[in-house]
């Protein structure tokens, strides 16, 4: 997926990502809003440096490749963010996906304060439905934390 021929910027189908990220994401990654040139559809571009901390660029690419491979394999699962493409340049990898304007589950809980039992039941149902689809297709999802669950409004 990565490490092959790189696509020159003028051939990419995305306009330049906007300077303001539409959602929070932990460093060193950033998420920026971009627009698909042909359709005008907005998308989120997760920009990740190829060099992270003590990891070599090869180790970092392996980690990013595992993440994108899992996302690609989970596209048939209910509630999974749509993967629209992956791109790279000399220093960064960009994962393009649909925009989730509702933020993540952690942010939702922090902003809502007390969450009703009914809301928690619906959230738990969606998470369990996703996990069941993953398990049915032989995938084990190992990082089930509040920051990896998006809320769609």
């Amino acid at each position: 997926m990565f490490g092959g021929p790189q696509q020159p910027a003028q051939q990419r189908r995305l306009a330049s990502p906007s300077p303001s990220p539409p959602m929070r994401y932990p460093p060193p990654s950033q998420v920026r809003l971009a627009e698909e040139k042909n359709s005008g559809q907005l998308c989120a571009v997760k920009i990740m440096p190829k060099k992270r901390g003590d990891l070599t660029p090869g180790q970092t690419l392996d980690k990013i490749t595992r993440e994108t491979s899992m996302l690609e394999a989970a596209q048939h699962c209910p509630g999974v963010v749509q993967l629209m493409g992956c791109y790279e340049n000399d220093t960064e990898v960009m994962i393009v996906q649909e925009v989730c304007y509702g933020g993540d589950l952690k942010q939702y809980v922090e902003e809502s304060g007390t969450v009703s039992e009914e809301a928690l039941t619906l959230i738990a149902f969606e998470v369990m439905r996703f996990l069941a689809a993953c398990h049915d297709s032989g995938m084990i999802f190992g990082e089930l934390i509040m920051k990896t669950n998006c809320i769609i409004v």
Side-chain angles (χ1 to χ4, degrees), residues 18-130:
S18 70
S20 300
M23 58 195 89
R24 300 181 303 180
Y25 206 84
S29 300
Q30 302 176 38
V31 177
R32 304 286 178 145
L33 191 62
E35 181 179 271
E36 204 275 334
K37 285 184 178 180
N38 295 330
S39 69
Q41 178 183 0
L42 293 179
C43 53
V45 181
K46 182 177 176 183
I47 304 167
M48 298 173 285
K50 288 185 177 180
K51 176 72 176 123
R52 293 186 193 176
D54 294 336
L55 298 177
T56 66
Q59 291 170 320
T60 302
L61 281 178
D62 286 346
K63 190 173 183 172
I64 293 169
T65 299
R66 276 193 307 275
E67 177 180 342
T68 55
S69 295
M70 287 298 291
L71 181 57
E72 193 171 48
Q75 288 297 289
H76 71 283
C77 297
V80 171
V81 66
Q82 179 189 4
L83 177 64
M84 300 168 76
C86 298
Y87 305 90
E88 68 177 310
N89 60 29
D90 291 338
T91 59
E92 299 168 320
V93 172
M94 292 143 280
I95 299 174
V96 183
Q97 55 194 33
E98 74 176 299
V99 178
C100 297
Y101 289 105
D104 61 41
L105 183 56
K106 184 176 189 292
Q107 182 181 357
Y108 174 76
V109 171
E110 287 172 352
E111 291 173 0
S112 300
T114 303
V115 180
S116 72
E117 184 176 337
E118 181 181 3
L120 287 173
T121 301
L122 293 173
I123 292 167
F125 173 78
E126 291 299 323
V127 170
M128 296 308 291
R129 190 169 73 138
F130 163 75

